[in-house]
Amino acid sequence: MAYADEPYGILLCIRDDGVMLGLTYLREHEVWGWHQHTTNGEFESVATINENGRDTVYVIVKRVINGSTVRYIER
């Protein structure tokens, strides 16, 4: 799991099946909402890094390319 505070409050979670879920909270509207992220592969890990005052999401994604399993760090 990882939390990105700026510009929006988003909690990101990776499920066992490689899908990433996010829970966004908009404080000014008092609204919570879940969203699902998929990719051509499987999410394995998620982290956030503060870059210039914004939290940037980085993920490790497992993919099969030309029959070989590879992992990429993606932003």
Side-chain angles (χ1 to χ4, degrees):
M1 291 188 343
Y3 180 69
D5 190 42
E6 292 295 331
Y8 308 106
I10 303 174
L11 176 66
L12 297 162
C13 310
I14 306 294
R15 291 191 328 204
D16 288 340
D17 63 358
V19 173
M20 182 165 59
L21 298 178
L23 175 62
T24 300
Y25 176 56
L26 298 176
R27 183 176 292 124
E28 64 274 12
H29 299 288
E30 297 181 16
V31 174
W32 297 81
W34 284 99
H35 41 97
Q36 178 176 300
H37 302 267
T38 57
T39 187
N40 186 13
E42 297 177 18
F43 292 103
E44 291 191 325
S45 185
V46 61
T48 58
I49 298 173
N50 188 283
E51 296 177 349
N52 300 317
R54 297 175 69 102
D55 293 319
T56 303
V57 177
Y58 286 85
V59 293
I60 295 177
V61 178
K62 180 173 74 173
R63 301 183 188 280
V64 177
I65 307 292
N66 295 326
S68 298
T69 300
V70 295
R71 287 174 172 80
Y72 293 102
I73 298 172
E74 300 182 9
R75 178 173 185 247

